[in-house]
Amino acid sequence: MQSSPLLRLNPAITRALNDVLGGAAASVLTVTLGLSYSVLIFAGPLASYLSTGVGVTFMASAVLALVVGLGSSLRFAIAAPEASTAAMTGIVASSLVERITAVDPTAPLLAPVLVTFGLVSIATGLVLCTFGVTRIGRAIRYVPYPVVGGFLGATGCLILLGAIRVITGQPLQLATLGRFANTTTVFELSAACAMAAVLYLTWHRSRTPIGLPLILIAGTIAAHVAFWVAGISPAEAQALGWTFHPPQQIGLEWPWSVQALAHYPWSTLPELSGNLIAVIFVTASSTLFNTTGVEVATHREADLERELNVTGIANILCGALGGYTGCISVSRSILNFSAGGRGRLSGLTSAAISASMLVVAPTLLGFMPKLVLGGLLVYLGSDTLHKWIVQSRQRLSAPEYLSLLAIILIILKWGFVAGILIGIVIGCTIFALSAARVSSVKFGFDGTEYRSSLDRPRDEQALLAAHGRNIQGLMLQSYLFFGSANRLYQHVKGLLHRHPECRFLVFDFKLVTGIDSSAAYSFDQIKRTARDRGIELVLVHLPPGAAKALRASGFISPEVRITQELDHALEWCENDIIARHRGQAREEASLRDWLTQILGDEDDAARLGRRCERLEVRAGEIIVRAGEAADSMHFILDGRVGIMIPAEQGGMTRVRSLGRCTTIGEMGLVARTTRSATIQAEIDSVLYVLGAQQFDAIKDEDPALSQKLLTYFVSVMAERLTFANRTIAVLRR
């Protein structure tokens, strides 16, 4: 039994056939969309040049498909003008025409328009090649998503407005609203909307290769049947504006003639610069986003820089021939891939079919009612608006979505450049506010929860357990800028308010990715707050960039400790706490022993010690002043203080000096009179203060202890009186 000849085909021939069929299927979209783009761009005052517009569109389609097909890293890629690039080209054309006719209504329009197309395409191609060579094209992916959404949403609005102009022959503006009130215009718009609804209910859901042309053919037949039923002949339909006037032949003109360049309105280019930049932005972003879309849909990886270079070269060639911009198409490339196309022959097939349309297009356009192509444009514009205004709401937060709507309105009112610039500012502001809401503190800890790895004896462990909250630590994260750093400052203020016992504040920068100069100001505020409270700052894992910013602001100084490891930082803090509180423990034991000698009972001494407040003074420091209320007494545990009275010739004279384990102010505490002398520390001293309020509490709550205190006061006064009597006796000798 012999196998079928079809089965015996060479695999290379089979692949080639698949490429041709895939390219032909993709060309169906190129043809139908190309006709709609032509009537979108060459509308209004340019409608009489529609034949040239069709030629420009399919010439550009052929060049783009050929160059991208031969050079793309995705061998099956199909390129052509896209809805977004065509809409922007239409805006450039209409803006140029408005400026030309405002100066001279009789001036020629076609040559300046083609020159502008060429200039814009060449400039776009050069920018794309620059992006590809320098590898900065990926930067466009950092444009905030709401800006891109607002940009494309505004493009959808402009496509929709262009569709209305194609259908009715007049723009939709406040000044022209009265013209839309007649019955014919209402019927035209209703028919186009019905066509758009059919496309949405059928082709939008299936996306079959042959679906779109079949629907357009069926729509064309239905329109002509409706004309026949209404008694309208084809000539009358054209006269009434229901169908296009078919061009006799496709007209292609060389844009770079000496006459065209000599009469070109060069003075309008600065006024058009915003729209020209918008074309470049749309083409560049569409190239990047469409390439990514094809990658995701086909599971093939593309060389992004190569795509930019190839698309740039294709646009330069289009510009040289007077064509407008385009890029790789997601729908056509995926359609080709689904139909079996895998090689470069698909792009060549699409280019050949587009070139053949230079001959076939006039016949197709002559039979095409405006409601059909206008309905296709209404569908494309509405679909874009639905995607970016309705569907994007699910992916965006409320501020981002509102910014997207604002960007659309700004673009429609003041143009694309204003919309992009303001949109980027809005996007950055929203990002800053969102990032500021993210806490810069991953977690906090204190010395009782997290300690160094050093094994310590039990007495030191007990001290750390009792005083570990003297250490407060914060693990920082993310990028610290003015918003998040200010929240960090507020967090630190709250932390110190909750833990007044804090003596060491540890910042771990291990998870911090960076810090800006404005954030350093917040750290200066933290430093001032810590200094006022006697708190030492410790920085751990400080990255070089953050260290540079903090050092430049003056935050890093000798009193700020910097260590490389958190474990070492904690060990240093723990050692200081142990040394400090071990000395304080010995001091408290010494106070308790002294008070026990005074009161004769260790428990009484402990209760009195708890009522006293520790006071540490430097040499020369005034403890109390003469004339103040005598509302406290002082237990001098260590050091020496002097009792000072005014001298005759100014200054102060010491009348008595009291050393360690003595008391002063007993009688003032009991009598509640004013102080008759000033008490000043002669050397560094440690005192314990018993205030009047605590003394009254002892009298009310602990009468036995109060009686012992009074007994001590009497004995002290008796000793001092005895000493005074002896002194007087000596002076009388």
Side-chain angles (χ1 to χ4, degrees), residues 630-648:
D631 57 356
S632 62
M633 66 166 292
H634 296 77
F635 294 88
I636 305 170
L637 180 64
D638 193 17
R640 187 174 71 249
V641 302
I643 301 175
M644 317 294 291
I645 61 174
E648 294 181 357

Side-chain angles (χ1 to χ4, degrees), residues 15-99:
R15 289 195 296 270
L17 288 175
N18 288 335
D19 290 344
V20 171
L21 292 175
S27 297
V28 172
L29 289 180
T30 299
V31 170
T32 52
L33 294 174
L35 290 174
S36 66
Y37 299 158
S38 301
V39 299
L40 175 65
I41 298 171
F42 287 82
L46 294 176
S48 58
Y49 304 108
L50 182 58
S51 60
T52 303
V54 174
V56 168
T57 297
F58 287 111
M59 179 273 296
S61 299
V63 172
L64 288 164
L66 177 64
V67 176
V68 173
L70 290 174
S72 174
S73 59
L74 299 171
R75 299 172 62 87
F76 55 87
I78 305 292
E82 285 277 84
S84 56
T85 59
M88 290 308 309
T89 302
I91 293 171
V92 171
S94 62
S95 300
L96 177 65
V97 168
E98 287 178 5
R99 286 165 174 78

Side-chain angles (χ1 to χ4, degrees), residues 173-185:
Q173 299 172 348
L174 289 176
T176 61
L177 285 178
R179 304 175 190 174
F180 288 83
N182 64 79
T183 306
T184 302
T185 303

Side-chain angles (χ1 to χ4, degrees), residues 668-693:
L669 180 64
V670 175
R672 306 292 171 90
T673 59
T674 57
R675 299 191 186 276
S676 59
T678 297
I679 303 176
Q680 183 179 21
E682 297 182 346
I683 61 174
D684 293 349
S685 305
V686 176
L687 300 85
Y688 279 80
V689 184
L690 179 63
Q693 185 177 1

Side-chain angles (χ1 to χ4, degrees), residues 446-449 451 457-472 499 501-503 574 577-578 581-582 584-585 588:
D446 61 46
T448 63
E449 302 169 323
R451 296 182 185 173
R458 290 185 178 181
D459 60 330
E460 294 184 357
Q461 293 181 24
L463 282 174
L464 292 177
H467 305 287
R469 287 187 175 83
N470 290 168
I471 304 173
Q472 296 292 327
H499 297 282
E501 72 277 8
C502 175
R503 291 296 173 265
E574 291 168 356
I577 290 174
I578 290 171
H581 288 284
R582 179 177 285 164
Q584 186 173 344
E588 291 174 354

Side-chain angles (χ1 to χ4, degrees), residues 116-138:
T116 303
F117 286 175
L119 292 174
V120 174
S121 297
I122 291 173
T124 301
L126 292 174
V127 171
L128 291 178
C129 289
T130 302
F131 284 173
V133 171
T134 60
R135 297 180 178 271
I136 64 174
R138 298 176 186 269

Side-chain angles (χ1 to χ4, degrees), residues 137-403:
R138 298 176 186 269
I140 200 170
R141 293 183 174 178
Y142 293 96
V143 175
Y145 185 80
V147 176
V148 177
F151 190 93
L152 296 177
T155 302
C157 289
L158 295 173
I159 293 175
L160 198 56
L161 293 174
I164 294 174
R165 187 171 186 176
V166 168
I167 298 164
T168 64
Q170 52 196 357
L172 180 60
Q173 299 172 348
L174 289 176
T176 61
L177 285 178
R179 304 175 190 174
F180 288 83
N182 64 79
T183 306
T184 302
T185 303
V186 173
F187 281 154
E188 288 173 340
L189 292 173
S190 300
C193 290
M195 186 69 200
V198 171
L199 287 170
Y200 175 77
L201 295 173
T202 55
W203 185 68
H204 178 83
R205 301 185 179 185
S206 62
R207 297 286 184 176
T208 57
I210 201 65
L212 183 59
L214 288 179
I215 295 170
L216 297 181
I217 292 171
T220 301
I221 294 174
H224 282 284
V225 169
F227 296 154
W228 176 74
V229 171
I232 301 175
S233 66
E236 291 174 334
Q238 288 183 5
L240 293 172
W242 284 97
T243 60
F244 294 99
H245 292 274
Q248 297 298 321
Q249 59 182 4
I250 296 297
L252 286 176
E253 295 189 15
W254 177 251
W256 309 112
S257 65
V258 176
Q259 183 179 4
L261 294 175
H263 292 88
Y264 183 81
W266 298 101
S267 60
T268 60
L269 284 182
E271 300 177 13
L272 294 174
S273 60
N275 291 332
L276 303 183
I277 294 173
V279 173
I280 297 173
F281 179 84
V282 166
T283 308
S285 60
S286 297
T287 300
L288 294 170
F289 295 145
N290 288 3
T291 301
T292 303
V294 174
E295 286 179 321
V296 173
T298 62
H299 304 288
R300 297 291 192 276
E301 184 176 357
D303 184 340
L304 195 57
E305 282 70 33
R306 181 173 176 178
E307 296 303 319
L308 288 168
N309 288 325
V310 170
T311 307
I313 294 172
N315 279 283
I316 291 174
L317 291 178
C318 282
L321 298 175
Y324 54 90
T325 61
C327 61
I328 184 174
S329 170
V330 176
S331 58
R332 278 161 271 203
S333 299
I334 294 176
L335 184 56
N336 173 41
F337 188 85
S338 301
R342 296 292 187 276
R344 301 195 183 280
L345 191 55
S346 297
L348 302 181
T349 301
S350 179
I353 294 176
S354 296
S356 69
M357 289 303 296
L358 297 175
V359 178
V360 180
T363 304
L364 291 178
L365 196 58
F367 285 103
M368 190 71 67
K370 290 184 178 180
L371 66 92
V372 175
L373 287 183
L376 177 58
L377 291 173
V378 169
Y379 162 74
L380 292 174
S382 301
D383 185 51
T384 303
L385 283 175
H386 181 266
K387 178 180 180 181
W388 294 105
I389 294 182
V390 178
Q391 293 181 345
S392 64
R393 179 65 186 93
Q394 301 174 354
R395 300 189 296 269
L396 300 176
S397 64
E400 290 175 330
Y401 181 71
L402 292 176
S403 69

